[in-house]
Every structure is written in C-alpha cells, then in structure tokens.
C-alpha cells in the first residue's frame, strides 16, 4: 500500500515505463553510457567495502531493476534486491541465476519497504531515487532499514561540473540519447523523461543537504565522470 500523500500517478507512470523498456534496458544502459555505468556501480561497492567486510554483513539494493548492482553486492555479502516492476525483476533473476552471487529479489515498493527497522548494514539505490514519487520518503525508508553503523550509497545522475564538458554532455543527453534510446526501445517518451527527470532532481550539494536534514550522518559525495553521476554516502550512527 502506498504511503499517505504519495503521488500515485507518478508511481504508476514510472512502473509502466519500465515495463515497456525492460527488454532493452540493459543494452541501452551500457550502449548509451559507453559501458561506464558498470564502473560506476563497481565504485559503489568499493565505497561500501569496509561495511561489507564486517562479519555477517547484509545488503539491500532498492530499485534494483535488472539487478546489476545487486549482483555486484551479492558477490560479497547476502543481498536483497527490491523493485516494483515485475518485468525488470524477471530479467534480473536470470542474471542472478547465472552469476556467482547470493541475491534474493523481491517485488516491493521502495516507499514502503517490507523490512523491519535496522535490518541491513549497507543499503544502495542506483538510478532509482530520481524515479520515486517522493524522494524524501524513499530516503526515510532507506534510513529506517539501515542498521546502526550502517552506510547508504545513492548512485544517481547529477550535474556535470566541468565547463565545456557540461554543455557537450547536455547536448548529448537532451538531443542524441533520446533519439537512440527511443529508436531501440520503441519508447521515445522514456528517453525524453530521462534527461528531464535529471534536470528536476536536486544537484550534488542539494541532495547532500536533504540527506543531512533527514538525519543521515557523515554525508559526503563523489562525482563520477565529471559529475555526470554522483555517489552520495550517508551513515546511521
Ligand atoms: C533506472 S532503473 C535503475 C535500475 C537499477 N538500479 C540500475 O542500476 O540499473 C529505476 C528502477 O526503479 C524502479 N522503481 C521506481 N520507483 C520504484 C518504487 N517506488 N519502488 C520500487 N521500485 C521502483 C523501477 O521499476 C526501475 O526498475
């Protein structure tokens, strides 16, 4: 059941969009990012290394989609991946079965996670937060299910910080990417939504401030590929 006051319309639209693009999602992710998205997800795991190395550590990947990050985490520690799009999870499940990882996938809403408070040492969310109908409730849920001394890592598109590169990237993101993404996936709308949702999403500093206000401690972020994406880290003490 959605939390009270949530924009149910946005949630439904987002889920339907991922149902449509699920079959081409992985191909386009890797193609449109020139495979750099794989390095970004690996960096998330590196930044959680000390937490994952703890005895009996467990991880949760929220908005896990086709399970790329969940599989990376699941090579280190038992990991649960959660997503509300069945079609994305079906593709993810095939990947899990072919991998050497310990991952359990679950169909559930990130805004109402079906876990008790303080259940996981590491909680991740890759390219999911921006899609949530309510970012703050998403961050609140991540914080709630995180154990004390645990760490959250949010990987998301952000604002490029290098002048010149910023303009070049924006041209690619707004004009080239929707054409290729639209042609291959058959959903131009989905690949127009991507850049516009990034424009509306808080930039690096803003997201860090939101996390601090929500109670996350030791909040910091690392820019990836000149700020095209960023990983925000926050802890629960
Ligand atoms: C851009 S994909 C990211 C998938 C994956 N984490 C990755 O790195 O490729 C965003 C995912 O968020 C999921 N999602 C969006 N809102 C959600 C919600 N409220 N609860 C669970 N999953 C959600 C979508 O179904 C989609 O699979």
């Amino acid at each position: 059941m959605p939390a009270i006051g949530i924009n149910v319309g946005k949630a439904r639209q987002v889920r339907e969009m991922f149902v449509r693009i699920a079959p081409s999602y992985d191909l386009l992710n890797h193609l449109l990012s020139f495979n750099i998205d794989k390095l970004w997800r690996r960096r998330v795991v590196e930044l959680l290394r000390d937490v994952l190395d703890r005895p009996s550590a467990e991880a949760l990947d929220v908005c896990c989609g086709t399970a790329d990050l969940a599989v990376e985490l699941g090579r280190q520690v038992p990991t649960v991946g959660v997503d509300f799009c069945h079609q994305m999870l079906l593709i993810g499940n095939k990947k899990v079965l072919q991998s050497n990882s310990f991952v359990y996938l679950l169909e559930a809403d990130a805004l109402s996670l079906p876990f008790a408070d303080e259940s996981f040492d590491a909680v991740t969310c890759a390219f999911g937060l921006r899609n949530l109908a309510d970012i703050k409730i998403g961050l609140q849920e991540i914080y709630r299910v995180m154990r004390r001394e645990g760490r959250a890592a949010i990987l998301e598109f952000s604002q490029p910080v290098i002048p010149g590169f910023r303009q070049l990237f924006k041209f690619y993101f707004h004009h080239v990417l929707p054409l290729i993404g639209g042609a291959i996936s058959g959903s131009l709308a989905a690949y127009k939504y991507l850049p516009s949702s990034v424009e509306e999403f808080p930039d690096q500093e803003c997201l860090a401030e939101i996390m601090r206000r929500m109670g996350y401690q030791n909040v910091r972020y690392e820019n990836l590929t000149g700020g095209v994406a960023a990983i925000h880290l926050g802890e629960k003490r």
Side-chain angles (χ1 to χ4, degrees), residues 50-72:
D50 54 318
V51 176
L52 301 176
D53 280 347
R54 290 178 194 157
S56 326
E58 290 165 310
L60 170 68
D61 184 33
V62 178
C63 297
C64 67
T66 57
D68 276 350
L69 180 55
V71 164
E72 290 288 333

Side-chain angles (χ1 to χ4, degrees), residues 35-52:
N35 267 332
I36 294 173
D37 64 309
K38 294 182 185 171
L39 302 180
W40 293 344
R41 290 192 191 82
R42 273 182 216 143
R43 183 67 188 146
V44 170
V45 178
E46 274 171 36
L47 291 171
L48 293 170
R49 169 71 48 217
D50 54 318
V51 176
L52 301 176

Side-chain angles (χ1 to χ4, degrees), residues 18 25 29 41 63-65 83-85 88 108-110 126-127 132:
F18 282 103
Y25 178 81
N29 246 0
R41 290 192 191 82
C63 297
C64 67
D83 201 284
F84 73 176
C85 177
M88 295 286 275
D109 193 336
F127 308 110
L132 296 182

Side-chain angles (χ1 to χ4, degrees), residues 160 162-176:
I162 305 167
F165 173 66
R166 187 189 174 99
Q167 284 73 19
L168 202 67
F169 176 75
K170 291 220 165 186
F171 180 81
Y172 168 73
F173 210 44
H174 286 266
H175 301 287
V176 182

Side-chain angles (χ1 to χ4, degrees), residues 65-98:
T66 57
D68 276 350
L69 180 55
V71 164
E72 290 288 333
L73 290 163
R75 292 189 215 282
Q76 322 288 324
V77 297
T79 299
V80 179
V82 162
D83 201 284
F84 73 176
C85 177
H86 190 72
Q87 283 74 0
M88 295 286 275
L89 289 174
L90 287 178
I91 295 167
N93 206 39
K94 282 192 196 146
K95 222 177 271 173
V96 169
L97 294 174
Q98 285 161 8

Side-chain angles (χ1 to χ4, degrees), residues 5-223:
I6 284 181
N7 181 346
V8 179
K10 171 164 176 174
R12 194 184 309 120
Q13 277 172 10
V14 165
R15 186 167 38 215
E16 285 168 2
M17 181 180 78
F18 282 103
V19 168
R20 282 196 301 278
I21 65 171
S24 53
Y25 178 81
D26 281 338
L27 168 74
L28 278 169
N29 246 0
H30 306 326
L31 182 77
L32 294 169
S33 74
F34 308 100
N35 267 332
I36 294 173
D37 64 309
K38 294 182 185 171
L39 302 180
W40 293 344
R41 290 192 191 82
R42 273 182 216 143
R43 183 67 188 146
V44 170
V45 178
E46 274 171 36
L47 291 171
L48 293 170
R49 169 71 48 217
D50 54 318
V51 176
L52 301 176
D53 280 347
R54 290 178 194 157
S56 326
E58 290 165 310
L60 170 68
D61 184 33
V62 178
C63 297
C64 67
T66 57
D68 276 350
L69 180 55
V71 164
E72 290 288 333
L73 290 163
R75 292 189 215 282
Q76 322 288 324
V77 297
T79 299
V80 179
V82 162
D83 201 284
F84 73 176
C85 177
H86 190 72
Q87 283 74 0
M88 295 286 275
L89 289 174
L90 287 178
I91 295 167
N93 206 39
K94 282 192 196 146
K95 222 177 271 173
V96 169
L97 294 174
Q98 285 161 8
S99 73
N100 196 11
S101 66
F102 185 162
V103 177
Y104 179 76
L105 297 180
L106 189 69
E107 191 170 330
D109 193 336
L111 301 182
S112 179
L113 290 169
F115 306 111
D117 297 356
E118 308 194 355
S119 295
F120 300 94
D121 302 277
V123 186
T124 58
C125 184
F127 308 110
L129 200 61
R130 178 176 38 88
N131 292 296
L132 296 182
D134 191 314
I135 294 172
K136 286 188 182 161
I137 295 180
L139 286 170
Q140 199 176 296
E141 279 295 87
I142 288 173
Y143 190 81
R144 180 182 69 75
V145 300
M146 187 163 54
R147 288 188 182 131
R148 301 220 165 252
E149 308 302 324
R151 187 177 304 150
I154 313 291
L155 168 60
E156 193 47 271
F157 285 111
S158 204
Q159 296 302 325
V161 288
I162 305 167
F165 173 66
R166 187 189 174 99
Q167 284 73 19
L168 202 67
F169 176 75
K170 291 220 165 186
F171 180 81
Y172 168 73
F173 210 44
H174 286 266
H175 301 287
V176 182
L177 178 143
L179 292 182
I180 304 173
I184 296 180
S185 70
S187 175
L188 181 62
Y191 285 87
K192 278 192 166 172
Y193 161 80
L194 171 58
S196 67
S197 65
V198 174
E199 287 294 325
E200 283 166 23
F201 190 69
D203 67 14
Q204 289 86 329
E205 272 305 324
C206 260
L207 180 57
E209 192 49 37
I210 293 171
M211 290 173 71
R212 284 184 197 109
R213 287 198 188 156
M214 307 222 46
Y216 286 80
Q217 279 147 333
N218 197 15
V219 174
R220 60 227 187 256
Y221 64 85
E222 180 174 301
N223 280 324

